Amino acid sequence: MMRPKLRLIPLGGLSEIGKNMMVVEYENDIIVIDCGLMFPEEEMLGIDLVIPDTSYLLDNKEKIRGIVITHGHEDHIGALPYVLPQFDVPVYSTRLTQGLISVKLKERKALATAKLNVVPFGSQFTLGKFRVEFFPVCHSIPDSAGLIIYTPAGVIIHSGDFKLDYTPVGGKPTDLSRLAQLGMQGVLLLLADSTYAELPGYTPSEQVVGETLDRIMAEAPGRVIVATFSSLISRIQQVIDAAARYQRRVFVVGQSMSNTVNMALEMGYLKAPDGVLGRLDELHNLPRNKVVFATTGSQGEPTSALARIANRDHRQLHIVRGDTVVISATPIPGNEALVNRIVDSLFKQGAQVMYDKVAQVHVHGHGSQEELKLLLNLVKPRFFVPIHGEYRHLSLHAKLAQSVGIPEENTFVLEDGDILEVSAQLAKKAGKVSAGNVFVDGLSVGDIGSVVLRNRRMLSRDGIVVVIMAINRQTGKPVGRPDIISRGFVDTRESKDMIEESRDLVARILEHSGERAAEWGFISTKVRDALNRFYYEQTKRRPMILPVMVQV
Amino acid sequence: MMRPKLRLIPLGGLSEIGKNMMVVEYENDIIVIDCGLMFPEEEMLGIDLVIPDTSYLLDNKEKIRGIVITHGHEDHIGALPYVLPQFDVPVYSTRLTQGLISVKLKERKALATAKLNVVPFGSQFTLGKFRVEFFPVCHSIPDSAGLIIYTPAGVIIHSGDFKLDYTPVGGKPTDLSRLAQLGMQGVLLLLADSTYAELPGYTPSEQVVGETLDRIMAEAPGRVIVATFSSLISRIQQVIDAAARYQRRVFVVGQSMSNTVNMALEMGYLKAPDGVLGRLDELHNLPRNKVVFATTGSQGEPTSALARIANRDHRQLHIVRGDTVVISATPIPGNEALVNRIVDSLFKQGAQVMYDKVAQVHVHGHGSQEELKLLLNLVKPRFFVPIHGEYRHLSLHAKLAQSVGIPEENTFVLEDGDILEVSAQLAKKAGKVSAGNVFVDGLSVGDIGSVVLRNRRMLSRDGIVVVIMAINRQTGKPVGRPDIISRGFVDTRESKDMIEESRDLVARILEHSGERAAEWGFISTKVRDALNRFYYEQTKRRPMILPVMVQV
């Protein structure tokens, strides 16, 4: 039997699989789906961003026909400024997504050479042996798309990030009819969003949030401050609509929120009745119960407007008793503590705070179990690959698929780098390509490796001790008393005696080493071992010990 | 009017207020309620534990009549080994709590001198002008108590950590009748647990978990591995009961779980039918569907048995396909990532994993809003102080109290260190005492201050660069070329050229400084500034720069 020619390879994404980048390959043609970035996990100290490892793509550069982007969130477009300059290939997306990509590329001076193409929903374009069609899906940003990919082996459907919402705000509902039609004709492979595969039932409609905002605008005795993601344009629309209903004016606070709002207004993705949006200098004299602020900071980001307001550190906006603050988001894991601290601080200043735990001020953008089953049911794929989620989400999604009748042997839980070979009859895992994560720290991309991170981790726990030993080049004898400097290890005043003792310890080692005192390998190991032991006995801490020899 | 003589001061507890320690004072008598520890927050790098600041107590040492402990969890007893040796006072608790305190004190060699007293529920003991009575409350550890404190100004009720559960496992339900009786007679002040003041409705009964465990034991095709807290004795009881019902034997894995189980069996807080508990060496030949393991690690603790099993690093226990792992806990904020990684890894090894998001395998130990209202309703206190929660929880609890009729001016949201003065007629905030947190790092208690932590934070982000400059003591001239060593900053091989350039930069500074080259303050500032600028331009990173001058 011939080897199947269609190959699927998820790439990048830290613990979320196939989230930031997916490779679809047929003979000499490759298309890349999404090109996003991830924010570092806690133990990746000092790292700013994480992007997918593109070494497989670099090895197969000449095969790449284009990059297809499903929607405009950071985790789907954010790596383009780093990746696109390596590959001179066109990018395809819907209109708003292109707007957001342009902003990203411009920031990193990578826009001029980019070949960006806007593709309307429903029309098809050809990339090598592939034909690609965007279909609308509902997600927490307008113009989100799923993909229909016609290949010589059969049709692939890629859900993008999606949920079903029959009453979305702006945006279009997920195009179930098109999916049903394709399902009837026969779909080879479905790739579907698993982010909320843990949640039973249905994800509530955005409408629920609209109703909560409406009630808040009606009842709040004073100003209302709404914090949300700047990309959550539908939420901003709901704020504007609810404010307008109660004759409140909306003031946008902060640069990134202003940029998005202006862009979305210009492109027609956001609509504001005349006079509802105001400039901050028009604020004075407006009664407090006629004022709404829209701002970022719903994830507790320390430099956001909301964090600065909470820390009494914002130039224009200070909490007064009677303010109502709405945090219209759910903290992503890892950000809870930051958000909690902000909520506490707002309460202390006399604000009423509405957040996800106490009011329905947010719904997320991914389908829950019943929606995932519905999709599987309509599409009826021969093969199923859960994507966009951590391993447990994919496992649970695979089990859901089996519960609606996809045979277990036709569902594949992949990890990043896994190659899935697919033919009309058969699919199977077939090896692995390199698929690590590339760290961006400051200007440099990829130079931070495990040694640097291990050192940072060690330094972060118990600090560092630098031992300076001067040795006479001619005699090989120590010159003067060794010096010891520590940072992040102990309170240097309180531990003066211990540090002095450890200097004596090093001096004794040098004395007793005789002519080997100038032998670097010997001395550095001896000093390091002795100090490690001494400090651990004294403090139960293990600082990094850095011996330095100066030959004079 | 005379100044009220009854004073209430919450102490310690990071962001949770009044959780780890509470001071009640009347003239020359002080009682201390609870003496717990906290685990450090993310930015407290390298810190092992956090305990309350006892400087107020040290200043009033002669007034302290005793420490009263509500229950045996770490955050209520864990600081005793550090605090008790400072104060030669008796400790009062219920029986199981005393058992757990003894274990703690023994570990830190502080048991011999401790005066521990067991007090049965319902009996009263006198501490100076106070009379104290324990009443049973339902919480996630048996023998949990609330306190009735009779003072010359009136009765105080302290809820401890509590929920209402009419069908608890082991333990007693919260004694509502006693509370109702006191409420009828008149209660001056209620202090009540606010941990779950955000949650509407009622906290489900432990029984719900029992039913889930029962179903799992019945249906699991192979072995069942249950991870939970070793202190959650009622949960271990449920595991034993469910296992026994399906002729499974239970094997306890790990030292801390074994210790607790043995202690609880001996003291009668845990009951196991004959032959249900087994030793690991009796495991062989038992069919897989007759085996249950009970282990710790439900919070993802890296050294726990469950973490080692997930990392294929446990000596005795390896996952095989068909195993079912039950994580019977909810990750506390900050631990989610650790727990998620373990769940992912278990799924990858072919286990079925049941955790809080996908099955009702845990209920928490604190009352939700309706329970809090019920307590307020029965006790009908004149004054109300929400405790045990972060500021937002206390604020919400205060609002709940107002909703059931406690006047706003009679509810007080305190912060740690706040003094509340209470008389029969009036309560008011009256100043503040010192109430920071004391860091325990290795052997030392309290020497880690903000400088050490700031250094660790800086080191953790961009590492350190040590600059060694040798200067001739006589001539004041540099000797040889300056040396530069970095750790955690850049990949030293890839950045060799940059580091060499920076050595030249330092050499030039020394040359151009002429006779000031030996002037430490001048040179160190100049070198630090120049390197800061240079490295930031080159890398957009800001390592700690540590200049070292060696006079030879």
Side-chain angles (χ1 to χ4, degrees):
Chain A
M1 204 182 86
M2 251 181 52
R3 211 181 158 103
K5 291 171 179 167
L6 180 63
R7 286 150 57 103
L8 181 81
I9 311 169
L11 283 180
L14 295 180
S15 49
E16 281 205 274
I17 294 151
K19 176 90 183 173
N20 310 130
M21 185 171 277
M22 175 73 75
V23 173
V24 186
E25 188 173 344
Y26 192 93
E27 288 181 335
N28 286 318
D29 296 306
I30 280 178
I31 56 177
V32 178
I33 302 171
D34 287 335
C35 187
L37 59 77
M38 275 285 164
F39 294 98
E41 294 172 359
E42 197 186 308
E43 71 277 16
M44 298 171 185
L45 296 169
I47 300 298
D48 300 323
L49 303 171
V50 182
I51 60 174
D53 174 358
T54 52
S55 46
Y56 179 75
L57 292 178
L58 285 168
D59 293 343
N60 294 277
K61 209 168 165 173
E62 73 296 339
K63 289 189 181 179
I64 307 171
R65 302 295 158 244
I67 302 178
V68 183
I69 304 287
T70 58
H71 64 284
H73 279 154
E74 282 285 10
D75 48 349
H76 296 263
I77 67 170
L80 277 171
Y82 304 93
V83 171
L84 203 52
Q86 304 178 307
F87 307 98
D88 185 31
V89 296
V91 177
Y92 300 84
S93 72
T94 56
R95 200 164 71 95
L96 176 66
T97 307
Q98 194 204 29
L100 291 161
I101 292 172
S102 305
V103 171
K104 278 274 137 232
L105 291 177
K106 206 169 173 180
E107 279 170 12
R108 307 270 316 185
K109 302 192 178 25
L111 182 59
T113 55
K115 300 170 194 154
L116 305 184
N117 302 280
V118 169
V119 182
F121 287 118
S123 81
Q124 301 183 353
F125 56 102
T126 300
L127 295 174
K129 286 190 198 64
F130 300 104
R131 217 154 19 94
V132 181
E133 175 186 335
F134 285 106
F135 66 94
V137 296
C138 197
H139 183 48
S140 45
I141 187 168
D143 256 15
S144 288
L147 307 174
I148 303 160
I149 306 170
Y150 303 88
T151 83
V155 173
I156 301 174
I157 293 183
H158 182 297
S159 75
D161 278 351
F162 89 104
K163 65 174 171 177
L164 304 178
D165 187 342
Y166 309 108
T167 53
V169 177
K172 296 186 176 64
T174 300
D175 190 348
L176 296 177
S177 317
R178 182 83 183 99
L179 292 172
Q181 187 187 31
L182 290 161
M184 302 286 281
Q185 294 163 0
V187 170
L188 178 67
L189 171 65
L190 171 66
L191 312 174
D193 179 7
S194 315
T195 313
Y196 278 84
E198 284 168 338
L199 259 65
Y202 292 89
T203 300
S205 167
E206 294 277 331
Q207 216 170 36
V208 176
V209 180
E211 287 158 17
T212 309
L213 287 172
D214 202 275
R215 215 177 47 244
I216 292 170
M217 300 289 181
E219 296 173 3
R223 310 181 304 177
V224 176
I225 301 166
V226 185
T228 193
F229 302 100
S230 63
S231 66
L232 195 38
I233 292 166
S234 61
R235 194 64 42 80
I236 301 169
Q237 183 70 62
Q238 290 179 306
V239 171
I240 292 172
D241 292 347
R245 251 190 308 278
Y246 299 96
Q247 294 78 48
R248 289 177 182 259
R249 298 192 70 191
V250 178
F251 300 87
V252 176
V253 180
Q255 202 53 48
S256 79
M257 183 68 94
S258 293
N259 289 349
T260 320
V261 165
N262 289 335
M263 195 260 278
L265 283 168
E266 271 169 37
M267 292 183 79
Y269 289 94
L270 197 58
K271 289 174 190 68
D274 279 350
V276 169
L277 285 172
R279 286 195 325 271
L280 278 177
D281 56 8
E282 302 166 342
L283 186 59
H284 58 97
N285 296 331
L286 219 53
R288 286 198 178 136
N289 64 0
K290 294 297 164 209
V291 172
V292 175
F293 296 103
T295 175
T296 55
S298 58
Q299 289 296 325
E301 306 90 326
T303 57
S304 66
L306 186 67
R308 281 182 285 131
I309 294 166
N311 297 331
R312 307 172 204 241
D313 190 30
H314 196 273
R315 265 177 310 147
Q316 294 150 309
L317 198 47
H318 308 99
I319 294 295
V320 294
R321 191 159 285 277
D323 282 351
T324 302
V325 180
V326 181
I327 300 185
S328 187
T330 300
I332 54 174
N335 287 3
E336 291 94 346
L338 285 172
V339 174
N340 287 344
R341 229 169 284 172
I342 286 178
V343 174
D344 285 345
S345 169
L346 294 167
F347 265 120
K348 282 182 200 169
Q349 292 171 59
Q352 177 68 12
V353 191
M354 314 293 275
Y355 52 106
D356 66 329
K357 290 245 179 62
V358 298
Q360 194 138 24
V361 289
H362 182 63
V363 294
H364 55 76
H366 303 271
S368 305
Q369 290 178 354
E370 295 305 312
E371 291 155 88
L372 303 179
K373 288 193 239 169
L374 195 156
L375 181 70
L376 283 155
N377 218 291
L378 284 180
V379 173
K380 299 180 191 64
R382 173 179 283 267
F383 302 111
F384 174 62
V385 174
I387 55 169
H388 297 191
E390 303 188 25
Y391 198 91
R392 64 191 177 286
H393 303 128
L394 309 191
S395 300
L396 292 167
H397 200 179
K399 286 215 166 53
L400 279 185
Q402 290 153 26
S403 78
V404 302
I406 315 260
E408 189 176 345
E409 62 274 21
N410 288 4
T411 60
F412 296 90
V413 176
L414 304 181
E415 293 185 65
D416 280 330
D418 280 347
I419 302 168
L420 185 75
E421 290 185 345
V422 191
S423 70
Q425 296 77 34
L426 188 85
K428 63 175 200 306
K429 286 192 208 180
K432 227 172 155 61
V433 307
S434 151
N437 293 294
V438 175
F439 296 143
V440 180
D441 180 7
L443 286 183
S444 103
V445 179
D447 87 310
I448 296 282
S450 57
V451 176
V452 173
L453 280 184
R454 202 171 50 232
N455 281 336
R456 286 185 187 169
R457 261 196 295 277
M458 195 169 174
L459 290 166
S460 77
R461 275 196 291 256
D462 290 322
I464 188 168
V465 173
V466 183
V467 188
I468 303 107
M469 301 166 284
I471 301 285
N472 184 304
R473 198 186 304 271
Q474 270 81 44
T475 65
K477 290 249 163 67
V479 180
R481 195 160 168 248
D483 211 348
I484 284 185
I485 301 171
S486 80
R487 288 288 185 277
F489 169 40
V490 289
D491 182 307
T492 41
R493 277 160 314 168
E494 287 194 28
S495 303
K496 215 169 174 181
D497 293 348
M498 183 187 67
I499 297 291
E500 286 305 310
E501 247 186 89
S502 64
R503 286 178 72 181
D504 292 340
L505 183 64
V506 176
R508 278 200 302 277
I509 291 172
L510 289 174
E511 270 167 41
H512 295 159
S513 302
E515 59 209 21
R516 301 192 74 179
E519 212 177 288
W520 174 234
F522 175 78
I523 282 296
S524 64
T525 309
K526 238 178 141 62
V527 165
R528 198 178 275 124
D529 289 350
L531 290 182
N532 261 329
R533 215 168 25 237
F534 177 75
Y535 290 137
Y536 187 73
E537 274 165 18
Q538 296 283 317
T539 64
K540 290 273 177 292
R541 299 178 199 165
R542 298 190 185 284
M544 179 184 282
I545 312 278
L546 188 63
V548 176
M549 191 182 280
V550 186
Q551 302 244 5
V552 290
Chain B
M1 206 182 83
M2 250 181 49
R3 212 182 159 99
K5 292 173 181 165
L6 180 63
R7 288 150 56 102
L8 181 82
I9 311 170
L11 283 179
L14 295 179
S15 48
E16 281 205 273
I17 294 153
K19 176 89 184 174
N20 310 130
M21 186 172 275
M22 174 73 75
V23 173
V24 186
E25 188 174 343
Y26 191 92
E27 289 182 336
N28 286 318
D29 297 306
I30 281 178
I31 56 177
V32 179
I33 302 171
D34 288 335
C35 186
L37 60 77
M38 275 285 164
F39 294 98
E41 293 172 357
E42 198 186 309
E43 71 275 17
M44 298 171 185
L45 295 171
I47 299 298
D48 300 323
L49 303 172
V50 182
I51 61 174
D53 174 357
T54 51
S55 45
Y56 179 75
L57 292 178
L58 284 170
D59 293 345
N60 293 277
K61 209 168 164 173
E62 74 296 340
K63 289 190 182 177
I64 307 173
R65 302 291 159 247
I67 303 179
V68 183
I69 304 288
T70 59
H71 64 284
H73 278 153
E74 283 285 8
D75 47 350
H76 298 262
I77 68 169
L80 277 172
Y82 303 93
V83 171
L84 202 51
Q86 304 179 308
F87 306 99
D88 186 31
V89 297
V91 177
Y92 300 84
S93 71
T94 55
R95 201 164 70 93
L96 176 65
T97 306
Q98 193 204 29
L100 292 161
I101 292 173
S102 304
V103 172
K104 278 274 136 234
L105 292 176
K106 205 168 173 182
E107 280 169 12
R108 306 271 316 184
K109 302 192 180 25
L111 181 59
T113 54
K115 299 169 194 154
L116 306 185
N117 301 280
V118 169
V119 182
F121 288 119
S123 80
Q124 301 183 352
F125 55 102
T126 300
L127 295 174
K129 287 191 198 62
F130 300 105
R131 216 157 18 97
V132 182
E133 174 186 336
F134 285 105
F135 67 94
V137 298
C138 198
H139 182 48
S140 45
I141 187 167
D143 257 14
S144 289
L147 307 175
I148 303 161
I149 306 170
Y150 303 88
T151 84
V155 173
I156 302 175
I157 293 182
H158 182 297
S159 74
D161 278 351
F162 89 106
K163 65 174 171 178
L164 304 178
D165 187 343
Y166 309 108
T167 53
V169 177
K172 298 186 175 65
T174 300
D175 189 349
L176 296 177
S177 317
R178 182 82 183 103
L179 293 171
Q181 189 187 29
L182 290 161
M184 302 286 282
Q185 294 163 1
V187 170
L188 178 67
L189 171 64
L190 172 66
L191 314 172
D193 178 8
S194 314
T195 313
Y196 278 82
E198 284 168 337
L199 259 66
Y202 292 89
T203 300
S205 167
E206 293 278 330
Q207 215 171 38
V208 176
V209 179
E211 288 159 15
T212 310
L213 287 172
D214 202 277
R215 215 177 48 245
I216 292 170
M217 299 291 179
E219 296 173 2
R223 309 182 304 179
V224 176
I225 300 165
V226 184
T228 191
F229 303 101
S230 64
S231 66
L232 196 37
I233 292 165
S234 61
R235 194 64 43 80
I236 302 170
Q237 184 69 64
Q238 291 179 305
V239 171
I240 292 173
D241 292 347
R245 252 191 305 281
Y246 299 96
Q247 294 79 49
R248 289 178 183 259
R249 298 193 71 193
V250 178
F251 300 87
V252 176
V253 181
Q255 202 52 49
S256 79
M257 183 69 94
S258 293
N259 290 348
T260 320
V261 166
N262 289 335
M263 196 260 279
L265 283 168
E266 272 169 37
M267 294 183 76
Y269 289 94
L270 196 58
K271 288 175 190 66
D274 279 349
V276 168
L277 285 172
R279 288 197 323 273
L280 279 177
D281 55 10
E282 301 166 343
L283 186 59
H284 59 97
N285 296 331
L286 220 52
R288 285 199 178 135
N289 63 1
K290 294 296 164 207
V291 173
V292 175
F293 297 103
T295 176
T296 54
S298 58
Q299 289 295 326
E301 306 91 325
T303 58
S304 66
L306 187 67
R308 281 182 286 133
I309 294 167
N311 297 331
R312 303 169 207 242
D313 191 27
H314 195 275
R315 265 177 311 145
Q316 295 151 309
L317 198 48
H318 308 98
I319 294 294
V320 295
R321 190 159 288 277
D323 283 350
T324 302
V325 180
V326 180
I327 299 184
S328 187
T330 301
I332 54 174
N335 287 3
E336 291 95 344
L338 284 172
V339 175
N340 287 344
R341 230 170 282 171
I342 285 177
V343 173
D344 285 346
S345 168
L346 294 168
F347 265 120
K348 282 182 199 170
Q349 292 172 59
Q352 177 67 11
V353 192
M354 314 292 276
Y355 52 106
D356 66 328
K357 290 243 179 64
V358 299
Q360 194 136 25
V361 289
H362 182 62
V363 294
H364 56 75
H366 302 271
S368 304
Q369 290 176 355
E370 294 306 312
E371 290 155 89
L372 303 179
K373 287 194 239 169
L374 195 154
L375 180 69
L376 284 155
N377 219 289
L378 284 181
V379 173
K380 300 182 189 61
R382 174 179 282 267
F383 302 111
F384 175 63
V385 174
I387 56 170
H388 297 191
E390 302 186 26
Y391 198 91
R392 64 193 178 285
H393 303 128
L394 308 190
S395 301
L396 293 166
H397 200 179
K399 286 213 165 59
L400 280 185
Q402 290 153 27
S403 78
V404 300
I406 316 259
E408 188 175 345
E409 63 275 20
N410 288 4
T411 61
F412 296 89
V413 177
L414 304 181
E415 293 185 65
D416 280 330
D418 280 348
I419 301 167
L420 186 75
E421 290 185 345
V422 191
S423 71
Q425 296 76 35
L426 188 86
K428 63 176 203 303
K429 285 192 210 182
K432 226 172 157 58
V433 307
S434 150
N437 293 296
V438 175
F439 297 142
V440 179
D441 180 8
L443 286 183
S444 104
V445 178
D447 87 309
I448 296 283
S450 57
V451 175
V452 173
L453 280 185
R454 201 171 52 234
N455 281 337
R456 287 184 187 170
R457 264 196 294 278
M458 194 168 176
L459 290 165
S460 77
R461 275 195 291 259
D462 289 321
I464 187 168
V465 173
V466 182
V467 189
I468 303 107
M469 302 166 284
I471 300 286
N472 185 305
R473 198 187 304 269
Q474 270 81 45
T475 63
K477 290 248 162 68
V479 180
R481 195 160 167 247
D483 211 348
I484 283 183
I485 302 171
S486 79
R487 288 290 183 277
F489 170 40
V490 289
D491 182 309
T492 40
R493 276 161 315 171
E494 286 195 28
S495 303
K496 215 169 171 175
D497 293 350
M498 184 187 69
I499 296 292
E500 285 304 310
E501 249 188 87
S502 64
R503 286 178 72 182
D504 292 341
L505 184 64
V506 176
R508 280 201 301 278
I509 291 172
L510 289 175
E511 269 168 41
H512 295 159
S513 302
E515 59 210 24
R516 301 192 74 182
E519 211 176 287
W520 175 233
F522 175 79
I523 282 295
S524 65
T525 308
K526 237 180 142 60
V527 165
R528 199 179 273 125
D529 289 352
L531 289 183
N532 261 331
R533 212 165 29 238
F534 176 75
Y535 291 136
Y536 188 73
E537 272 166 19
Q538 297 283 316
T539 65
K540 290 270 178 294
R541 299 178 199 166
R542 299 191 186 283
M544 177 184 282
I545 311 276
L546 187 64
V548 176
M549 191 182 281
V550 186
Q551 301 245 6
V552 291

